[in-house]
Amino acid sequence: MDEFWVFGYGSLMWNPGFEHVERQVALVHGFHRALCVKSHVHRGTAERPGLVLGLDRGGACKGVAFRTDPEYRPAVTGYLRERELVTSVYIERLVTLRLGSGRKVTALTYVIDRSHFQYASGMHAEDAAAIVRGAVGKSGRNEDYVLNTLSHMREIGINDHWMEDVGRRIVSLP
């Protein structure tokens, strides 16, 4: 069976931007979701970077898998490359997912390049919230990105204490 799946762990969960025929909650092992990318385009600028999510090595990550019609694979891949590889901070990768149905599939996703200058790891929640608060890029306000992603994470049963702490601090900052 020739299937084409895409795995989203951040804004792709709530704003995939491409047509799909199926959507399922999915789990990938070997990577975890982290607010570890200094955004210079979509949610910030070079002068005032924001923070966005990346898939960093280690652990596991629950997100959303989208199945598209295989004939649209070139168009979807082209769209995702244009969206995700703007500054080459992500590496395109095929990963094995376990879908909510229990079935294993291979999916396209984007993982963080730890050697890239935009990689930002190990931040305290208060520092991350201060960076997010007020940052704006071509795709909008950074705080909207983080709060929308948190909302969608909750909807599919993802509880991330550090991200929740960042969200609370974004809302409570003056």
Side-chain angles (χ1 to χ4, degrees):
M1 183 188 289
D2 185 30
E3 293 185 322
F4 178 53
W5 289 87
V6 174
F7 180 67
Y9 53 87
S11 62
L12 279 176
M13 292 190 302
W14 47 270
N15 182 23
F18 56 87
E19 288 190 40
H20 51 280
V21 295
E22 185 177 355
R23 177 185 188 272
Q24 284 197 47
V25 173
L27 182 68
V28 62
H29 288 279
F31 298 96
H32 68 280
R33 175 187 295 102
L35 201 55
C36 65
V37 179
K38 294 177 192 168
S39 179
H40 294 178
V41 176
H42 287 288
R43 299 296 174 165
T45 64
E47 298 78 29
R48 175 70 167 86
L51 284 175
V52 295
L53 293 164
L55 264 188
D56 205 354
R57 67 179 176 223
C61 179
K62 192 176 187 184
V64 176
F66 298 94
R67 183 172 62 87
T68 68
D69 190 315
E71 75 179 84
Y72 297 123
R73 183 183 194 129
V76 170
T77 302
Y79 163 76
L80 288 170
R81 286 176 177 161
E82 186 176 312
R83 174 178 169 163
E84 302 297 330
L85 300 180
V86 175
T87 63
S88 302
V89 69
Y90 296 110
I91 301 166
E92 191 173 85
R93 176 126 342 130
L94 291 175
V95 295
T96 301
L97 305 177
R98 180 168 302 278
L99 300 174
S101 66
R103 191 162 68 96
K104 285 187 178 181
V105 299
T106 299
L108 178 69
T109 197
Y110 294 86
V111 301
I112 186 70
D113 177 354
R114 292 177 131 226
S115 67
H116 198 279
F117 75 95
Q118 287 176 256
Y119 179 63
S121 178
M123 238 179 264
H124 292 286
E126 64 190 88
D127 296 330
I131 291 170
V132 167
R133 185 69 185 237
V136 179
K138 80 175 197 175
S139 295
R141 294 170 1 127
N142 198 186
E143 53 212 67
D144 293 341
Y145 165 86
V146 172
L147 297 175
N148 280 337
T149 302
L150 273 168
S151 173
H152 285 81
M153 288 169 57
R154 288 182 206 114
E155 283 178 17
I156 61 173
I158 299 171
N159 186 11
D160 182 319
H161 298 290
W162 186 84
M163 284 284 294
E164 292 288 348
D165 192 14
V166 172
R168 277 189 300 278
R169 290 170 187 274
I170 289 169
V171 172
S172 68
L173 281 172

